[in-house]
mmCIF file with all atom_site columns, all heavy atoms in Angstrom:
data_model
loop_
_atom_site.group_PDB
_atom_site.id
_atom_site.type_symbol
_atom_site.label_atom_id
_atom_site.label_alt_id
_atom_site.label_comp_id
_atom_site.label_asym_id
_atom_site.label_entity_id
_atom_site.label_seq_id
_atom_site.pdbx_PDB_ins_code
_atom_site.Cartn_x
_atom_site.Cartn_y
_atom_site.Cartn_z
_atom_site.occupancy
_atom_site.B_iso_or_equiv
_atom_site.pdbx_formal_charge
_atom_site.auth_seq_id
_atom_site.auth_comp_id
_atom_site.auth_asym_id
_atom_site.auth_atom_id
_atom_site.pdbx_PDB_model_num
ATOM 1   N N   . TYR A 1 23 ? -7.067  -7.743  -11.141 1.00 0.00 ? 937 TYR A N   1
ATOM 2   C CA  . TYR A 1 23 ? -5.966  -8.399  -11.970 1.00 0.00 ? 937 TYR A CA  1
ATOM 3   C C   . TYR A 1 23 ? -6.165  -9.933  -11.894 1.00 0.00 ? 937 TYR A C   1
ATOM 4   O O   . TYR A 1 23 ? -6.000  -10.561 -12.924 1.00 0.00 ? 937 TYR A O   1
ATOM 5   C CB  . TYR A 1 23 ? -4.657  -7.957  -11.239 1.00 0.00 ? 937 TYR A CB  1
ATOM 6   C CG  . TYR A 1 23 ? -3.440  -8.528  -11.844 1.00 0.00 ? 937 TYR A CG  1
ATOM 7   C CD1 . TYR A 1 23 ? -2.749  -7.800  -12.702 1.00 0.00 ? 937 TYR A CD1 1
ATOM 8   C CD2 . TYR A 1 23 ? -2.961  -9.816  -11.380 1.00 0.00 ? 937 TYR A CD2 1
ATOM 9   C CE1 . TYR A 1 23 ? -1.537  -8.245  -13.278 1.00 0.00 ? 937 TYR A CE1 1
ATOM 10  C CE2 . TYR A 1 23 ? -1.775  -10.316 -11.944 1.00 0.00 ? 937 TYR A CE2 1
ATOM 11  C CZ  . TYR A 1 23 ? -1.148  -9.570  -12.840 1.00 0.00 ? 937 TYR A CZ  1
ATOM 12  O OH  . TYR A 1 23 ? 0.117   -10.140 -13.381 1.00 0.00 ? 937 TYR A OH  1
ATOM 13  N N   . LEU A 1 24 ? -6.471  -10.532 -10.735 1.00 0.00 ? 938 LEU A N   1
ATOM 14  C CA  . LEU A 1 24 ? -6.516  -11.966 -10.661 1.00 0.00 ? 938 LEU A CA  1
ATOM 15  C C   . LEU A 1 24 ? -7.761  -12.511 -11.313 1.00 0.00 ? 938 LEU A C   1
ATOM 16  O O   . LEU A 1 24 ? -7.674  -13.698 -12.109 1.00 0.00 ? 938 LEU A O   1
ATOM 17  C CB  . LEU A 1 24 ? -6.545  -12.265 -9.219  1.00 0.00 ? 938 LEU A CB  1
ATOM 18  C CG  . LEU A 1 24 ? -5.329  -12.069 -8.436  1.00 0.00 ? 938 LEU A CG  1
ATOM 19  C CD1 . LEU A 1 24 ? -5.480  -12.300 -6.828  1.00 0.00 ? 938 LEU A CD1 1
ATOM 20  C CD2 . LEU A 1 24 ? -4.162  -13.006 -8.891  1.00 0.00 ? 938 LEU A CD2 1
ATOM 21  N N   . VAL A 1 25 ? -8.972  -11.782 -11.242 1.00 0.00 ? 939 VAL A N   1
ATOM 22  C CA  . VAL A 1 25 ? -10.063 -12.254 -12.080 1.00 0.00 ? 939 VAL A CA  1
ATOM 23  C C   . VAL A 1 25 ? -9.677  -12.264 -13.613 1.00 0.00 ? 939 VAL A C   1
ATOM 24  O O   . VAL A 1 25 ? -10.119 -13.159 -14.326 1.00 0.00 ? 939 VAL A O   1
ATOM 25  C CB  . VAL A 1 25 ? -11.332 -11.348 -11.765 1.00 0.00 ? 939 VAL A CB  1
ATOM 26  C CG1 . VAL A 1 25 ? -12.344 -11.463 -12.758 1.00 0.00 ? 939 VAL A CG1 1
ATOM 27  C CG2 . VAL A 1 25 ? -11.815 -11.469 -10.363 1.00 0.00 ? 939 VAL A CG2 1
ATOM 28  N N   . ALA A 1 26 ? -9.094  -11.167 -13.984 1.00 0.00 ? 940 ALA A N   1
ATOM 29  C CA  . ALA A 1 26 ? -8.697  -11.134 -15.480 1.00 0.00 ? 940 ALA A CA  1
ATOM 30  C C   . ALA A 1 26 ? -7.716  -12.203 -15.886 1.00 0.00 ? 940 ALA A C   1
ATOM 31  O O   . ALA A 1 26 ? -7.738  -12.576 -17.093 1.00 0.00 ? 940 ALA A O   1
ATOM 32  C CB  . ALA A 1 26 ? -8.035  -9.705  -15.764 1.00 0.00 ? 940 ALA A CB  1
ATOM 33  N N   . ARG A 1 27 ? -7.007  -12.740 -14.906 1.00 0.00 ? 941 ARG A N   1
ATOM 34  C CA  . ARG A 1 27 ? -6.096  -13.844 -15.194 1.00 0.00 ? 941 ARG A CA  1
ATOM 35  C C   . ARG A 1 27 ? -6.757  -15.253 -15.125 1.00 0.00 ? 941 ARG A C   1
ATOM 36  O O   . ARG A 1 27 ? -6.080  -16.245 -15.273 1.00 0.00 ? 941 ARG A O   1
ATOM 37  C CB  . ARG A 1 27 ? -4.937  -13.805 -14.334 1.00 0.00 ? 941 ARG A CB  1
ATOM 38  C CG  . ARG A 1 27 ? -3.931  -12.807 -14.746 1.00 0.00 ? 941 ARG A CG  1
ATOM 39  C CD  . ARG A 1 27 ? -2.450  -12.938 -13.973 1.00 0.00 ? 941 ARG A CD  1
ATOM 40  N NE  . ARG A 1 27 ? -1.521  -12.242 -14.750 1.00 0.00 ? 941 ARG A NE  1
ATOM 41  C CZ  . ARG A 1 27 ? -0.628  -12.787 -15.452 1.00 0.00 ? 941 ARG A CZ  1
ATOM 42  N NH1 . ARG A 1 27 ? -0.478  -14.060 -15.597 1.00 0.00 ? 941 ARG A NH1 1
ATOM 43  N NH2 . ARG A 1 27 ? 0.286   -11.968 -16.113 1.00 0.00 ? 941 ARG A NH2 1
ATOM 44  N N   . GLY A 1 28 ? -7.976  -15.220 -14.781 1.00 0.00 ? 942 GLY A N   1
ATOM 45  C CA  . GLY A 1 28 ? -8.713  -16.485 -14.785 1.00 0.00 ? 942 GLY A CA  1
ATOM 46  C C   . GLY A 1 28 ? -8.846  -17.135 -13.526 1.00 0.00 ? 942 GLY A C   1
ATOM 47  O O   . GLY A 1 28 ? -9.361  -18.310 -13.402 1.00 0.00 ? 942 GLY A O   1
ATOM 48  N N   . TYR A 1 29 ? -8.493  -16.535 -12.355 1.00 0.00 ? 943 TYR A N   1
ATOM 49  C CA  . TYR A 1 29 ? -8.626  -17.142 -11.067 1.00 0.00 ? 943 TYR A CA  1
ATOM 50  C C   . TYR A 1 29 ? -10.111 -17.013 -10.575 1.00 0.00 ? 943 TYR A C   1
ATOM 51  O O   . TYR A 1 29 ? -10.752 -15.979 -10.960 1.00 0.00 ? 943 TYR A O   1
ATOM 52  C CB  . TYR A 1 29 ? -7.701  -16.390 -10.047 1.00 0.00 ? 943 TYR A CB  1
ATOM 53  C CG  . TYR A 1 29 ? -6.262  -16.789 -10.323 1.00 0.00 ? 943 TYR A CG  1
ATOM 54  C CD1 . TYR A 1 29 ? -5.499  -16.100 -11.232 1.00 0.00 ? 943 TYR A CD1 1
ATOM 55  C CD2 . TYR A 1 29 ? -5.760  -17.847 -9.586  1.00 0.00 ? 943 TYR A CD2 1
ATOM 56  C CE1 . TYR A 1 29 ? -4.082  -16.394 -11.386 1.00 0.00 ? 943 TYR A CE1 1
ATOM 57  C CE2 . TYR A 1 29 ? -4.338  -18.271 -9.819  1.00 0.00 ? 943 TYR A CE2 1
ATOM 58  C CZ  . TYR A 1 29 ? -3.555  -17.496 -10.664 1.00 0.00 ? 943 TYR A CZ  1
ATOM 59  O OH  . TYR A 1 29 ? -2.231  -17.889 -10.901 1.00 0.00 ? 943 TYR A OH  1
ATOM 60  N N   . TRP A 1 30 ? -10.473 -17.925 -9.790  1.00 0.00 ? 944 TRP A N   1
ATOM 61  C CA  . TRP A 1 30 ? -11.687 -17.700 -9.056  1.00 0.00 ? 944 TRP A CA  1
ATOM 62  C C   . TRP A 1 30 ? -11.280 -16.975 -7.834  1.00 0.00 ? 944 TRP A C   1
ATOM 63  O O   . TRP A 1 30 ? -10.494 -17.501 -6.979  1.00 0.00 ? 944 TRP A O   1
ATOM 64  C CB  . TRP A 1 30 ? -12.346 -19.004 -8.676  1.00 0.00 ? 944 TRP A CB  1
ATOM 65  C CG  . TRP A 1 30 ? -13.696 -18.910 -8.001  1.00 0.00 ? 944 TRP A CG  1
ATOM 66  C CD1 . TRP A 1 30 ? -14.960 -18.818 -8.613  1.00 0.00 ? 944 TRP A CD1 1
ATOM 67  C CD2 . TRP A 1 30 ? -13.974 -18.724 -6.553  1.00 0.00 ? 944 TRP A CD2 1
ATOM 68  N NE1 . TRP A 1 30 ? -15.819 -18.648 -7.690  1.00 0.00 ? 944 TRP A NE1 1
ATOM 69  C CE2 . TRP A 1 30 ? -15.346 -18.570 -6.413  1.00 0.00 ? 944 TRP A CE2 1
ATOM 70  C CE3 . TRP A 1 30 ? -13.032 -18.638 -5.472  1.00 0.00 ? 944 TRP A CE3 1
ATOM 71  C CZ2 . TRP A 1 30 ? -15.939 -18.451 -5.187  1.00 0.00 ? 944 TRP A CZ2 1
ATOM 72  C CZ3 . TRP A 1 30 ? -13.631 -18.514 -4.172  1.00 0.00 ? 944 TRP A CZ3 1
ATOM 73  C CH2 . TRP A 1 30 ? -15.085 -18.354 -4.033  1.00 0.00 ? 944 TRP A CH2 1
ATOM 74  N N   . VAL A 1 31 ? -11.905 -15.795 -7.511  1.00 0.00 ? 945 VAL A N   1
ATOM 75  C CA  . VAL A 1 31 ? -11.504 -14.959 -6.385  1.00 0.00 ? 945 VAL A CA  1
ATOM 76  C C   . VAL A 1 31 ? -12.640 -14.864 -5.308  1.00 0.00 ? 945 VAL A C   1
ATOM 77  O O   . VAL A 1 31 ? -13.680 -14.418 -5.692  1.00 0.00 ? 945 VAL A O   1
ATOM 78  C CB  . VAL A 1 31 ? -11.031 -13.612 -6.815  1.00 0.00 ? 945 VAL A CB  1
ATOM 79  C CG1 . VAL A 1 31 ? -10.549 -12.762 -5.627  1.00 0.00 ? 945 VAL A CG1 1
ATOM 80  C CG2 . VAL A 1 31 ? -9.905  -13.710 -7.850  1.00 0.00 ? 945 VAL A CG2 1
ATOM 81  N N   . ARG A 1 32 ? -12.244 -15.063 -4.071  1.00 0.00 ? 946 ARG A N   1
ATOM 82  C CA  . ARG A 1 32 ? -13.053 -14.634 -3.001  1.00 0.00 ? 946 ARG A CA  1
ATOM 83  C C   . ARG A 1 32 ? -12.507 -13.392 -2.386  1.00 0.00 ? 946 ARG A C   1
ATOM 84  O O   . ARG A 1 32 ? -11.315 -13.350 -1.934  1.00 0.00 ? 946 ARG A O   1
ATOM 85  C CB  . ARG A 1 32 ? -13.155 -15.686 -1.870  1.00 0.00 ? 946 ARG A CB  1
ATOM 86  C CG  . ARG A 1 32 ? -13.961 -15.280 -0.595  1.00 0.00 ? 946 ARG A CG  1
ATOM 87  C CD  . ARG A 1 32 ? -13.945 -16.348 0.433   1.00 0.00 ? 946 ARG A CD  1
ATOM 88  N NE  . ARG A 1 32 ? -14.599 -17.570 -0.109  1.00 0.00 ? 946 ARG A NE  1
ATOM 89  C CZ  . ARG A 1 32 ? -14.329 -18.820 0.459   1.00 0.00 ? 946 ARG A CZ  1
ATOM 90  N NH1 . ARG A 1 32 ? -13.460 -18.980 1.277   1.00 0.00 ? 946 ARG A NH1 1
ATOM 91  N NH2 . ARG A 1 32 ? -15.044 -19.837 -0.053  1.00 0.00 ? 946 ARG A NH2 1
ATOM 92  N N   . GLY A 1 33 ? -13.240 -12.274 -2.401  1.00 0.00 ? 947 GLY A N   1
ATOM 93  C CA  . GLY A 1 33 ? -12.708 -11.067 -1.643  1.00 0.00 ? 947 GLY A CA  1
ATOM 94  C C   . GLY A 1 33 ? -13.243 -10.976 -0.339  1.00 0.00 ? 947 GLY A C   1
ATOM 95  O O   . GLY A 1 33 ? -14.542 -11.355 -0.126  1.00 0.00 ? 947 GLY A O   1
ATOM 96  N N   . VAL A 1 34 ? -12.564 -10.636 0.622   1.00 0.00 ? 948 VAL A N   1
ATOM 97  C CA  . VAL A 1 34 ? -12.996 -10.372 2.055   1.00 0.00 ? 948 VAL A CA  1
ATOM 98  C C   . VAL A 1 34 ? -12.667 -9.025  2.579   1.00 0.00 ? 948 VAL A C   1
ATOM 99  O O   . VAL A 1 34 ? -11.410 -8.564  2.339   1.00 0.00 ? 948 VAL A O   1
ATOM 100 C CB  . VAL A 1 34 ? -12.550 -11.491 2.963   1.00 0.00 ? 948 VAL A CB  1
ATOM 101 C CG1 . VAL A 1 34 ? -12.788 -11.197 4.385   1.00 0.00 ? 948 VAL A CG1 1
ATOM 102 C CG2 . VAL A 1 34 ? -13.275 -12.877 2.591   1.00 0.00 ? 948 VAL A CG2 1
ATOM 103 N N   . ASP A 1 35 ? -13.490 -8.426  3.208   1.00 0.00 ? 949 ASP A N   1
ATOM 104 C CA  . ASP A 1 35 ? -13.177 -7.105  3.863   1.00 0.00 ? 949 ASP A CA  1
ATOM 105 C C   . ASP A 1 35 ? -14.230 -6.810  4.888   1.00 0.00 ? 949 ASP A C   1
ATOM 106 O O   . ASP A 1 35 ? -15.291 -7.445  4.827   1.00 0.00 ? 949 ASP A O   1
ATOM 107 C CB  . ASP A 1 35 ? -13.096 -5.949  2.894   1.00 0.00 ? 949 ASP A CB  1
ATOM 108 C CG  . ASP A 1 35 ? -12.220 -4.787  3.349   1.00 0.00 ? 949 ASP A CG  1
ATOM 109 O OD1 . ASP A 1 35 ? -12.587 -4.042  4.323   1.00 0.00 ? 949 ASP A OD1 1
ATOM 110 O OD2 . ASP A 1 35 ? -11.267 -4.383  2.697   1.00 0.00 ? 949 ASP A OD2 1
ATOM 111 N N   . TRP A 1 36 ? -14.103 -5.851  5.794   1.00 0.00 ? 950 TRP A N   1
ATOM 112 C CA  . TRP A 1 36 ? -15.258 -5.576  6.635   1.00 0.00 ? 950 TRP A CA  1
ATOM 113 C C   . TRP A 1 36 ? -15.972 -4.358  6.132   1.00 0.00 ? 950 TRP A C   1
ATOM 114 O O   . TRP A 1 36 ? -17.029 -3.796  6.679   1.00 0.00 ? 950 TRP A O   1
ATOM 115 C CB  . TRP A 1 36 ? -14.857 -5.473  8.094   1.00 0.00 ? 950 TRP A CB  1
ATOM 116 C CG  . TRP A 1 36 ? -13.889 -4.324  8.423   1.00 0.00 ? 950 TRP A CG  1
ATOM 117 C CD1 . TRP A 1 36 ? -13.238 -3.379  7.552   1.00 0.00 ? 950 TRP A CD1 1
ATOM 118 C CD2 . TRP A 1 36 ? -13.393 -3.978  9.694   1.00 0.00 ? 950 TRP A CD2 1
ATOM 119 N NE1 . TRP A 1 36 ? -12.435 -2.559  8.236   1.00 0.00 ? 950 TRP A NE1 1
ATOM 120 C CE2 . TRP A 1 36 ? -12.516 -2.933  9.610   1.00 0.00 ? 950 TRP A CE2 1
ATOM 121 C CE3 . TRP A 1 36 ? -13.655 -4.526  10.960  1.00 0.00 ? 950 TRP A CE3 1
ATOM 122 C CZ2 . TRP A 1 36 ? -11.932 -2.361  10.675  1.00 0.00 ? 950 TRP A CZ2 1
ATOM 123 C CZ3 . TRP A 1 36 ? -12.972 -3.974  11.956  1.00 0.00 ? 950 TRP A CZ3 1
ATOM 124 C CH2 . TRP A 1 36 ? -12.021 -2.932  11.927  1.00 0.00 ? 950 TRP A CH2 1
ATOM 125 N N   . LYS A 1 37 ? -15.562 -3.924  4.847   1.00 0.00 ? 951 LYS A N   1
ATOM 126 C CA  . LYS A 1 37 ? -16.447 -2.937  4.234   1.00 0.00 ? 951 LYS A CA  1
ATOM 127 C C   . LYS A 1 37 ? -16.277 -3.169  2.733   1.00 0.00 ? 951 LYS A C   1
ATOM 128 O O   . LYS A 1 37 ? -15.259 -3.734  2.215   1.00 0.00 ? 951 LYS A O   1
ATOM 129 C CB  . LYS A 1 37 ? -15.884 -1.488  4.462   1.00 0.00 ? 951 LYS A CB  1
ATOM 130 C CG  . LYS A 1 37 ? -14.499 -1.101  3.938   1.00 0.00 ? 951 LYS A CG  1
ATOM 131 C CD  . LYS A 1 37 ? -14.261 0.316   3.992   1.00 0.00 ? 951 LYS A CD  1
ATOM 132 C CE  . LYS A 1 37 ? -12.835 0.700   3.467   1.00 0.00 ? 951 LYS A CE  1
ATOM 133 N NZ  . LYS A 1 37 ? -12.507 0.315   2.162   1.00 0.00 ? 951 LYS A NZ  1
ATOM 134 N N   . PRO A 1 38 ? -17.346 -2.814  1.877   1.00 0.00 ? 952 PRO A N   1
ATOM 135 C CA  . PRO A 1 38 ? -17.178 -3.002  0.377   1.00 0.00 ? 952 PRO A CA  1
ATOM 136 C C   . PRO A 1 38 ? -16.199 -1.971  -0.263  1.00 0.00 ? 952 PRO A C   1
ATOM 137 O O   . PRO A 1 38 ? -16.018 -0.824  0.428   1.00 0.00 ? 952 PRO A O   1
ATOM 138 C CB  . PRO A 1 38 ? -18.683 -2.859  -0.075  1.00 0.00 ? 952 PRO A CB  1
ATOM 139 C CG  . PRO A 1 38 ? -19.406 -2.162  0.998   1.00 0.00 ? 952 PRO A CG  1
ATOM 140 C CD  . PRO A 1 38 ? -18.578 -2.328  2.334   1.00 0.00 ? 952 PRO A CD  1
ATOM 141 N N   . PRO A 1 39 ? -15.745 -2.119  -1.430  1.00 0.00 ? 953 PRO A N   1
ATOM 142 C CA  . PRO A 1 39 ? -14.873 -1.118  -2.056  1.00 0.00 ? 953 PRO A CA  1
ATOM 143 C C   . PRO A 1 39 ? -15.696 0.181   -2.079  1.00 0.00 ? 953 PRO A C   1
ATOM 144 O O   . PRO A 1 39 ? -16.887 0.176   -2.279  1.00 0.00 ? 953 PRO A O   1
ATOM 145 C CB  . PRO A 1 39 ? -14.671 -1.727  -3.429  1.00 0.00 ? 953 PRO A CB  1
ATOM 146 C CG  . PRO A 1 39 ? -15.007 -3.112  -3.443  1.00 0.00 ? 953 PRO A CG  1
ATOM 147 C CD  . PRO A 1 39 ? -16.025 -3.402  -2.302  1.00 0.00 ? 953 PRO A CD  1
ATOM 148 N N   . GLU A 1 40 ? -14.961 1.326   -1.943  1.00 0.00 ? 954 GLU A N   1
ATOM 149 C CA  . GLU A 1 40 ? -15.692 2.596   -1.770  1.00 0.00 ? 954 GLU A CA  1
ATOM 150 C C   . GLU A 1 40 ? -16.087 3.115   -3.160  1.00 0.00 ? 954 GLU A C   1
ATOM 151 O O   . GLU A 1 40 ? -17.228 3.746   -3.338  1.00 0.00 ? 954 GLU A O   1
ATOM 152 C CB  . GLU A 1 40 ? -14.656 3.530   -1.201  1.00 0.00 ? 954 GLU A CB  1
ATOM 153 C CG  . GLU A 1 40 ? -15.321 4.622   -0.500  1.00 0.00 ? 954 GLU A CG  1
ATOM 154 C CD  . GLU A 1 40 ? -14.240 5.490   0.402   1.00 0.00 ? 954 GLU A CD  1
ATOM 155 O OE1 . GLU A 1 40 ? -13.166 4.950   0.618   1.00 0.00 ? 954 GLU A OE1 1
ATOM 156 O OE2 . GLU A 1 40 ? -14.513 6.673   0.510   1.00 0.00 ? 954 GLU A OE2 1
ATOM 157 N N   . TYR A 1 41 ? -15.365 2.917   -4.210  1.00 0.00 ? 955 TYR A N   1
ATOM 158 C CA  . TYR A 1 41 ? -15.637 3.697   -5.474  1.00 0.00 ? 955 TYR A CA  1
ATOM 159 C C   . TYR A 1 41 ? -16.157 2.896   -6.641  1.00 0.00 ? 955 TYR A C   1
ATOM 160 O O   . TYR A 1 41 ? -16.843 3.424   -7.509  1.00 0.00 ? 955 TYR A O   1
ATOM 161 C CB  . TYR A 1 41 ? -14.283 4.357   -5.954  1.00 0.00 ? 955 TYR A CB  1
ATOM 162 C CG  . TYR A 1 41 ? -13.672 5.147   -4.882  1.00 0.00 ? 955 TYR A CG  1
ATOM 163 C CD1 . TYR A 1 41 ? -12.404 4.699   -4.305  1.00 0.00 ? 955 TYR A CD1 1
ATOM 164 C CD2 . TYR A 1 41 ? -14.244 6.379   -4.449  1.00 0.00 ? 955 TYR A CD2 1
ATOM 165 C CE1 . TYR A 1 41 ? -11.842 5.483   -3.362  1.00 0.00 ? 955 TYR A CE1 1
ATOM 166 C CE2 . TYR A 1 41 ? -13.595 7.223   -3.473  1.00 0.00 ? 955 TYR A CE2 1
ATOM 167 C CZ  . TYR A 1 41 ? -12.502 6.715   -2.926  1.00 0.00 ? 955 TYR A CZ  1
ATOM 168 O OH  . TYR A 1 41 ? -11.862 7.398   -1.975  1.00 0.00 ? 955 TYR A OH  1
ATOM 169 N N   . GLU A 1 42 ? -16.037 1.491   -6.613  1.00 0.00 ? 956 GLU A N   1
ATOM 170 C CA  . GLU A 1 42 ? -16.764 0.728   -7.570  1.00 0.00 ? 956 GLU A CA  1
ATOM 171 C C   . GLU A 1 42 ? -16.965 -0.663  -7.036  1.00 0.00 ? 956 GLU A C   1
ATOM 172 O O   . GLU A 1 42 ? -16.341 -1.079  -6.065  1.00 0.00 ? 956 GLU A O   1
ATOM 173 C CB  . GLU A 1 42 ? -15.992 0.648   -8.950  1.00 0.00 ? 956 GLU A CB  1
ATOM 174 C CG  . GLU A 1 42 ? -14.463 0.319   -8.750  1.00 0.00 ? 956 GLU A CG  1
ATOM 175 C CD  . GLU A 1 42 ? -13.746 0.328   -10.033 1.00 0.00 ? 956 GLU A CD  1
ATOM 176 O OE1 . GLU A 1 42 ? -13.897 1.271   -10.874 1.00 0.00 ? 956 GLU A OE1 1
ATOM 177 O OE2 . GLU A 1 42 ? -12.821 -0.510  -10.143 1.00 0.00 ? 956 GLU A OE2 1
ATOM 178 N N   . ASN A 1 43 ? -17.808 -1.459  -7.605  1.00 0.00 ? 957 ASN A N   1
ATOM 179 C CA  . ASN A 1 43 ? -18.097 -2.811  -7.163  1.00 0.00 ? 957 ASN A CA  1
ATOM 180 C C   . ASN A 1 43 ? -17.096 -3.729  -7.290  1.00 0.00 ? 957 ASN A C   1
ATOM 181 O O   . ASN A 1 43 ? -16.225 -3.558  -8.199  1.00 0.00 ? 957 ASN A O   1
ATOM 182 C CB  . ASN A 1 43 ? -19.422 -3.345  -7.850  1.00 0.00 ? 957 ASN A CB  1
ATOM 183 C CG  . ASN A 1 43 ? -20.741 -2.609  -7.502  1.00 0.00 ? 957 ASN A CG  1
ATOM 184 O OD1 . ASN A 1 43 ? -20.812 -2.034  -6.476  1.00 0.00 ? 957 ASN A OD1 1
ATOM 185 N ND2 . ASN A 1 43 ? -21.608 -2.646  -8.551  1.00 0.00 ? 957 ASN A ND2 1
ATOM 186 N N   . SER A 1 44 ? -16.889 -4.719  -6.346  1.00 0.00 ? 958 SER A N   1
ATOM 187 C CA  . SER A 1 44 ? -15.898 -5.578  -6.420  1.00 0.00 ? 958 SER A CA  1
ATOM 188 C C   . SER A 1 44 ? -16.120 -6.590  -7.583  1.00 0.00 ? 958 SER A C   1
ATOM 189 O O   . SER A 1 44 ? -17.230 -7.165  -7.674  1.00 0.00 ? 958 SER A O   1
ATOM 190 C CB  . SER A 1 44 ? -15.681 -6.448  -5.114  1.00 0.00 ? 958 SER A CB  1
ATOM 191 O OG  . SER A 1 44 ? -14.729 -7.327  -5.286  1.00 0.00 ? 958 SER A OG  1
ATOM 192 N N   . PRO A 1 45 ? -15.066 -6.909  -8.387  1.00 0.00 ? 959 PRO A N   1
ATOM 193 C CA  . PRO A 1 45 ? -15.259 -7.898  -9.412  1.00 0.00 ? 959 PRO A CA  1
ATOM 194 C C   . PRO A 1 45 ? -15.002 -9.385  -8.911  1.00 0.00 ? 959 PRO A C   1
ATOM 195 O O   . PRO A 1 45 ? -15.086 -10.259 -9.711  1.00 0.00 ? 959 PRO A O   1
ATOM 196 C CB  . PRO A 1 45 ? -14.227 -7.579  -10.367 1.00 0.00 ? 959 PRO A CB  1
ATOM 197 C CG  . PRO A 1 45 ? -13.106 -6.838  -9.636  1.00 0.00 ? 959 PRO A CG  1
ATOM 198 C CD  . PRO A 1 45 ? -13.741 -6.299  -8.496  1.00 0.00 ? 959 PRO A CD  1
ATOM 199 N N   . ALA A 1 46 ? -14.900 -9.579  -7.589  1.00 0.00 ? 960 ALA A N   1
ATOM 200 C CA  . ALA A 1 46 ? -14.576 -10.828 -6.935  1.00 0.00 ? 960 ALA A CA  1
ATOM 201 C C   . ALA A 1 46 ? -15.891 -11.761 -7.290  1.00 0.00 ? 960 ALA A C   1
ATOM 202 O O   . ALA A 1 46 ? -16.982 -11.221 -7.371  1.00 0.00 ? 960 ALA A O   1
ATOM 203 C CB  . ALA A 1 46 ? -14.455 -10.784 -5.556  1.00 0.00 ? 960 ALA A CB  1
ATOM 204 N N   . HIS A 1 47 ? -15.651 -13.005 -7.547  1.00 0.00 ? 961 HIS A N   1
ATOM 205 C CA  . HIS A 1 47 ? -16.742 -14.005 -7.684  1.00 0.00 ? 961 HIS A CA  1
ATOM 206 C C   . HIS A 1 47 ? -17.596 -14.101 -6.456  1.00 0.00 ? 961 HIS A C   1
ATOM 207 O O   . HIS A 1 47 ? -18.790 -14.326 -6.627  1.00 0.00 ? 961 HIS A O   1
ATOM 208 C CB  . HIS A 1 47 ? -16.132 -15.338 -8.092  1.00 0.00 ? 961 HIS A CB  1
ATOM 209 C CG  . HIS A 1 47 ? -15.285 -15.319 -9.351  1.00 0.00 ? 961 HIS A CG  1
ATOM 210 N ND1 . HIS A 1 47 ? -14.024 -15.033 -9.451  1.00 0.00 ? 961 HIS A ND1 1
ATOM 211 C CD2 . HIS A 1 47 ? -15.815 -15.475 -10.646 1.00 0.00 ? 961 HIS A CD2 1
ATOM 212 C CE1 . HIS A 1 47 ? -13.630 -15.042 -10.686 1.00 0.00 ? 961 HIS A CE1 1
ATOM 213 N NE2 . HIS A 1 47 ? -14.723 -15.263 -11.417 1.00 0.00 ? 961 HIS A NE2 1
#
Side-chain angles (χ1 to χ4, degrees):
Y937 179 96
L938 293 170
V939 168
R941 281 195 164 252
Y943 288 87
W944 184 92
V945 181
R946 175 182 297 152
V948 165
D949 204 295
W950 62 0
K951 66 165 181 61
E954 207 170 334
Y955 307 109
E956 53 184 42
N957 291 334
S958 177
H961 298 90

